[in-house]
Amino acid sequence: MSIFLKDLKSIKPYTPGKPIEEVQRELGLKQVYKLASNEIPFIPTYLSKEILKELKSINRYPEASCFYLKRALAKQLKVNEDRLVFGNGSDELITLTLRVSIEKGDEVIVAYPTFLIYEIQAKAQGAKVVTAPLKDFRYDLEIMAKKVSKKTKIIFIANPDNPTGTYLTHKELEQFFKRIPKRVLVFLDEAYFDFAPSDYPRSLEFLKNRGNIIIARTFSKAYGLAGVRIGYGITTPQIATALNTVREPFNVNRFAQVCALAALKNKEFLSNVVNFVKKEKNYLYSELEKLNVSFIKSATNFILIDFKQNTTDIYNYFLRKGIIVRELKGWGLNGFFRVTVGRHNENKEFIDCFKVYLRTKFRSRKTRGGRR
Amino acid sequence: MSIFLKDLKSIKPYTPGKPIEEVQRELGLKQVYKLASNEIPFIPTYLSKEILKELKSINRYPEASCFYLKRALAKQLKVNEDRLVFGNGSDELITLTLRVSIEKGDEVIVAYPTFLIYEIQAKAQGAKVVTAPLKDFRYDLEIMAKKVSKKTKIIFIANPDNPTGTYLTHKELEQFFKRIPKRVLVFLDEAYFDFAPSDYPRSLEFLKNRGNIIIARTFSKAYGLAGVRIGYGITTPQIATALNTVREPFNVNRFAQVCALAALKNKEFLSNVVNFVKKEKNYLYSELEKLNVSFIKSATNFILIDFKQNTTDIYNYFLRKGIIVRELKGWGLNGFFRVTVGRHNENKEFIDCFKVYLRTKFRSRKTRGGRR
């Protein structure tokens, strides 16, 4: 139909990890472990009071400014409130950023492979997507910098990256920024920053020095609030104003606002999550090594597994066992799948099933190269 | 900064009705009546069970497809599921529609004045906004049809309209569609359709006959779910696919999905709301007539008041009394304000305060023409 942008047909819609409810419906399973979407396996139960209080105002529009949340977050980050923009998940920050800056034909640089939404939304906005291949499963900043042209408007950087789990250090990004013209907007997607190690970038310093940066973070991962949808951007007051101009006024629902506010205050939950993930990730690493399965070391709460062959069979095998992992063919990663760190029993079950699968399928096991 | 679209500076961001929390903060008031944002004054309390159950999955992303809600709604509307698209409020449907169809320079026709978001989001998307003035506070379909050019991509029609509260009948829209080329997408915003009278359009028939239509509805008004953010569009499968391609996969949060599903089932709540609004609107009409205040008869849960002079003073007066109404200067309606039907005691308090205001300000009251 002529009303649609021609580019739209070239876009392959994003396929999310299979929801627990869907697997229960389709396979008639009661017990399903979801290790597919990098959610943490804990529920911030301290929220029920906030939620029930907020229910009393469910008929009222939320505060468009996220007033209390904005104040608390600004204080915690030590930035002015006019630098913050809230989104219906940090996904919305990606879309808003593209919407305020892209005119048809402008270029956007994204890694390949990386989080798919950058490319999907960039194309939807009419941008030309320029891809920069990874190097050893890491962002290749050298290549990315070389891809900058006069038409480049935005560079998207997922740090830590999804789905590889690798990260860029402060020094690496610092060097990178020296090479990127200030007119180019750099979108630093820090969805997994809570899990990242100590040499991880202090991005607020870059923002202060350079200006033209959007740092996007989310409450969906380490804070355990994926279901309620809230993320935020930290940027210059000018960019924040632009993003706030085009966002829908009530983009962040009431429950999201109070949950995020409570989450900021509850530091113990966050540190418990981070410690737990670290411990369980080490458990998974050591078990995968025992199985001679290759994987990429991760700065996040998920692990990219280099299965070295078609993943359809093992994906379906896990599914029938009630374990959802993430296939990555749509991401251009054939032969790989991604597993999220779950509860200990879930991780153990994943390993046990994996073990049985490998035994059954490869009775005469070949030696498999373990890449770290 | 050069990264922004040039058009962005010409956009005046949407100013929502003042939230209760804001007035409480700013004026130190405990009791605040909000008659500003066309919310219903009732809380669907039957939701607490659903909400608490959903809290147990708050760490998990919502179902991207709104599976159960979509199935229930399709059944209720008697349409196929592939015709439905859900949004983070029906606002998001407006944005998505523009995003899938507008290229820079395309034209969009909107009434003037009407709901502001059409113009804001159309400009944000780079469209040229062509305005069609109202006639006697109603959409002038004659003028709108005449404004169609080769560049017209979308016509936005709020029915019933906000902020006038007037509506177009089935016959009027039927005639209108005969004059509009099929290549033009017509966006029928039916946010207030639950309140509308019996000769209101059966829009699904238009959709069936014409195709190129998006009917947008919301759970924010009559269903009392403004705080949780959910609306939907009914359209052709082709348009639905396009909208689903560009929306963020998790745009509708978990709580919104279960609340909307419960709301669909709870028909008694809806009919009670509609009956209550009708009764209280009549009360307000008769009291306003006694005060000799002009107003526009409304097919919604709000009333446009023709105050015939600057509204700053009366707006602030109401605010100090703890009553929030809606000024409409930003909408191009100088001398008008909008009041939402509240609980009976709220409506009575509004009338009582209005009475005192008029007495104090106009001791020698002039006869004021009552327009209906």
Side-chain angles (χ1 to χ4, degrees):
Chain A
M1 294 180 84
S2 64
I3 59 153
F4 301 132
L5 297 179
K6 288 143 212 126
D7 294 353
L8 224 53
K9 284 207 172 153
S10 74
I11 301 173
K12 226 174 123 183
Y14 184 75
T15 310
K18 248 178 142 50
I20 291 174
E21 295 89 335
E22 192 175 302
V23 177
Q24 288 173 330
R25 276 195 304 270
E26 293 177 357
L27 298 182
L29 296 171
K30 274 201 172 171
Q31 177 86 281
V32 173
Y33 296 155
K34 188 179 177 200
L35 305 176
S37 298
N38 308 338
E39 299 139 341
I40 59 162
F42 303 108
I43 304 146
T45 43
Y46 58 87
L47 293 171
S48 56
K49 217 178 102 187
E50 267 80 7
I51 294 260
L52 285 178
K53 186 171 165 246
E54 213 55 25
L55 182 56
K56 292 182 186 157
S57 304
I58 197 171
N59 58 326
R60 303 289 175 189
Y61 283 96
E63 285 209 70
S65 65
C66 296
F67 185 86
Y68 293 106
L69 173 61
K70 185 182 273 189
R71 194 167 62 178
L73 185 62
K75 202 176 159 189
Q76 179 170 314
L77 295 171
K78 297 192 180 79
V79 300
N80 283 337
E81 292 184 23
D82 62 1
R83 287 180 171 274
L84 297 177
V85 183
F86 292 91
N88 186 33
S90 63
D91 279 13
E92 195 182 21
L93 271 301
I94 298 168
T95 311
L96 292 173
T97 300
L98 287 156
R99 291 184 60 214
V100 300
S101 58
I102 296 300
E103 294 195 349
K104 194 163 177 152
D106 287 341
E107 291 178 7
V108 159
I109 300 174
V110 299
Y112 185 81
T114 190
F115 187 47
L116 281 175
I117 300 282
Y118 312 138
E119 181 170 345
I120 292 173
Q121 292 294 357
K123 280 185 178 171
Q125 198 59 26
K128 187 183 160 198
V129 176
V130 176
T131 52
L134 300 186
K135 190 178 172 183
D136 294 333
F137 298 92
R138 297 184 77 233
Y139 268 56
D140 186 343
L141 296 179
E142 187 69 26
I143 294 279
M144 281 197 128
K146 278 185 186 156
K147 296 269 183 181
V148 172
S149 81
K150 281 183 182 169
K151 288 189 171 178
T152 306
K153 277 280 179 78
I154 310 173
I155 303 175
F156 282 99
I157 294 182
N159 192 34
D161 179 38
N162 176 10
T164 63
T166 59
Y167 74 105
L168 299 163
T169 65
H170 187 85
K171 274 195 182 161
E172 285 172 315
L173 265 190
E174 195 173 39
Q175 290 303 313
F176 174 71
F177 279 124
K178 284 180 187 159
R179 299 182 55 182
I180 305 300
K182 284 212 174 170
R183 65 173 172 80
V184 175
L185 177 59
V186 178
F187 189 99
L188 294 177
D189 186 343
E190 300 193 340
Y192 298 94
F193 102 111
D194 301 283
F195 300 111
S198 58
D199 56 347
Y200 182 77
R202 302 176 298 279
S203 311
L204 287 170
E205 292 178 17
F206 300 142
L207 174 60
K208 206 177 160 187
N209 295 333
R210 185 181 195 272
N212 214 354
I213 291 175
I214 296 175
I215 302 164
R217 292 180 186 165
T218 184
F219 287 92
S220 298
K221 307 296 181 186
Y223 289 97
L225 295 177
V228 74
R229 315 304 303 127
I230 181 157
Y232 62 94
I234 321 165
T235 185
T236 65
Q238 292 78 10
I239 296 176
T241 299
L243 298 173
N244 279 322
T245 300
V246 304
R247 74 169 167 86
E248 290 126 27
F250 307 113
N251 62 332
V252 180
N253 70 82
R254 281 189 169 269
F255 296 111
Q257 293 189 30
V258 295
C259 288
L261 182 60
L264 282 183
K265 288 179 185 162
N266 205 318
K267 294 192 196 307
E268 203 186 337
F269 180 84
L270 181 67
S271 66
N272 287 345
V273 165
V274 170
N275 290 334
F276 175 87
V277 164
K278 200 174 169 180
K279 201 182 76 187
E280 285 298 311
K281 205 162 48 178
N282 284 328
Y283 164 76
L284 285 167
Y285 287 166
S286 80
E287 294 297 319
L288 289 169
E289 278 167 4
K290 283 182 209 163
L291 296 178
N292 248 334
V293 168
S294 300
F295 60 89
I296 315 299
K297 262 210 154 178
S298 167
T300 68
N301 66 332
F302 59 83
I303 303 172
L304 180 65
I305 298 199
D306 184 1
F307 192 55
K308 300 186 191 295
Q309 55 190 290
N310 194 308
T311 52
T312 307
D313 189 61
I314 191 165
Y315 173 80
N316 287 324
Y317 164 83
F318 277 127
L319 212 56
R320 286 191 304 271
K321 297 285 178 189
I323 298 173
I324 319 171
V325 298
R326 190 68 165 271
E327 276 205 281
L328 296 167
K329 287 175 194 165
W331 303 51
L333 278 168
N334 290 314
F336 291 81
F337 68 90
R338 200 186 62 191
V339 64
T340 304
V341 176
R343 288 174 186 273
H344 182 71
N345 67 312
E346 294 173 330
N347 302 332
K348 191 172 173 308
E349 183 73 15
F350 164 75
I351 292 291
D352 290 348
C353 285
F354 207 165
K355 204 178 291 180
V356 173
Y357 179 87
L358 293 175
R359 256 191 223 138
T360 317
K361 293 281 162 177
F362 308 100
R363 288 207 183 146
S364 58
R365 248 162 85 202
K366 306 161 212 158
T367 312
R368 301 168 59 83
R371 174 170 54 220
R372 294 288 301 269
Chain B
M1 295 181 84
S2 64
I3 59 153
F4 301 133
L5 297 179
K6 288 139 213 132
D7 295 351
L8 223 53
K9 285 209 169 150
S10 74
I11 300 174
K12 228 174 120 181
Y14 185 75
T15 310
K18 249 179 142 50
I20 290 172
E21 294 89 336
E22 190 175 305
V23 176
Q24 287 173 330
R25 279 195 303 269
E26 291 178 357
L27 298 181
L29 295 172
K30 276 202 171 169
Q31 176 86 280
V32 173
Y33 296 155
K34 187 179 179 201
L35 305 175
S37 298
N38 308 339
E39 299 138 342
I40 58 162
F42 303 108
I43 305 147
T45 44
Y46 58 89
L47 294 171
S48 55
K49 216 177 103 189
E50 267 82 5
I51 294 261
L52 285 177
K53 185 171 166 247
E54 213 56 26
L55 182 55
K56 290 182 188 158
S57 305
I58 197 171
N59 58 326
R60 303 288 175 190
Y61 284 95
E63 285 209 70
S65 65
C66 295
F67 185 85
Y68 292 106
L69 174 61
K70 185 182 276 192
R71 194 167 63 176
L73 185 62
K75 201 176 160 191
Q76 180 169 314
L77 294 171
K78 299 189 180 79
V79 299
N80 282 337
E81 293 185 24
D82 62 0
R83 289 180 171 271
L84 297 177
V85 183
F86 292 90
N88 186 34
S90 62
D91 279 14
E92 194 181 22
L93 271 300
I94 299 168
T95 311
L96 292 174
T97 300
L98 288 156
R99 291 182 60 214
V100 297
S101 58
I102 295 299
E103 294 196 346
K104 195 165 174 150
D106 288 340
E107 290 178 6
V108 159
I109 300 176
V110 299
Y112 185 82
T114 191
F115 187 47
L116 282 175
I117 300 283
Y118 312 137
E119 182 170 345
I120 291 173
Q121 293 293 358
K123 281 185 177 172
Q125 199 58 26
K128 186 184 161 198
V129 176
V130 176
T131 52
L134 300 186
K135 190 177 172 184
D136 295 333
F137 298 91
R138 298 183 77 234
Y139 267 56
D140 186 343
L141 296 179
E142 186 70 28
I143 294 280
M144 281 197 128
K146 279 187 185 155
K147 296 270 181 178
V148 172
S149 82
K150 281 184 182 168
K151 290 189 170 177
T152 304
K153 278 278 180 82
I154 310 172
I155 304 176
F156 281 100
I157 295 182
N159 191 35
D161 179 40
N162 175 12
T164 63
T166 59
Y167 75 104
L168 299 163
T169 65
H170 187 84
K171 275 195 179 160
E172 285 172 315
L173 265 190
E174 196 172 38
Q175 289 304 312
F176 173 72
F177 279 121
K178 284 181 187 159
R179 300 183 54 184
I180 306 300
K182 283 209 176 172
R183 63 171 173 81
V184 175
L185 176 59
V186 178
F187 189 99
L188 294 178
D189 185 344
E190 300 193 340
Y192 298 94
F193 102 112
D194 301 282
F195 300 112
S198 58
D199 56 348
Y200 181 77
R202 302 175 299 279
S203 311
L204 287 170
E205 292 179 16
F206 299 142
L207 173 61
K208 205 176 161 189
N209 295 332
R210 186 181 194 272
N212 214 354
I213 291 176
I214 296 176
I215 302 164
R217 292 180 186 165
T218 184
F219 287 92
S220 298
K221 307 297 181 185
Y223 289 96
L225 295 177
V228 75
R229 316 303 302 127
I230 181 157
Y232 62 94
I234 320 164
T235 185
T236 65
Q238 293 78 8
I239 297 176
T241 300
L243 298 173
N244 280 322
T245 301
V246 304
R247 74 170 169 84
E248 290 126 26
F250 307 113
N251 62 332
V252 179
N253 69 81
R254 280 190 169 269
F255 296 110
Q257 294 189 30
V258 294
C259 286
L261 182 61
L264 281 183
K265 288 178 186 163
N266 205 317
K267 294 192 196 306
E268 202 186 338
F269 180 85
L270 182 68
S271 67
N272 286 344
V273 164
V274 171
N275 290 334
F276 176 87
V277 164
K278 199 173 171 183
K279 199 182 78 186
E280 285 298 311
K281 205 161 51 174
N282 284 328
Y283 164 77
L284 284 167
Y285 287 167
S286 81
E287 293 299 316
L288 289 169
E289 278 168 3
K290 283 184 207 161
L291 295 177
N292 248 332
V293 168
S294 300
F295 60 90
I296 316 298
K297 261 208 153 179
S298 167
T300 68
N301 68 332
F302 60 82
I303 303 171
L304 180 64
I305 298 198
D306 183 2
F307 192 55
K308 299 185 191 297
Q309 55 189 291
N310 194 305
T311 52
T312 308
D313 189 63
I314 192 164
Y315 173 79
N316 287 322
Y317 163 83
F318 276 126
L319 213 56
R320 286 191 304 272
K321 298 285 178 187
I323 298 173
I324 319 173
V325 297
R326 191 67 166 273
E327 275 204 282
L328 296 167
K329 287 174 193 165
W331 302 50
L333 278 168
N334 290 314
F336 291 80
F337 67 91
R338 199 186 64 190
V339 63
T340 304
V341 176
R343 287 175 187 271
H344 183 70
N345 68 311
E346 294 174 328
N347 301 331
K348 192 172 174 309
E349 184 73 15
F350 165 74
I351 292 292
D352 290 348
C353 285
F354 207 165
K355 203 178 290 180
V356 172
Y357 179 87
L358 292 173
R359 255 192 224 138
T360 319
K361 293 281 162 176
F362 308 99
R363 288 203 184 147
S364 57
R365 249 161 82 204
K366 304 162 212 156
T367 313
R368 300 168 59 84
R371 174 173 52 221
R372 295 287 302 269

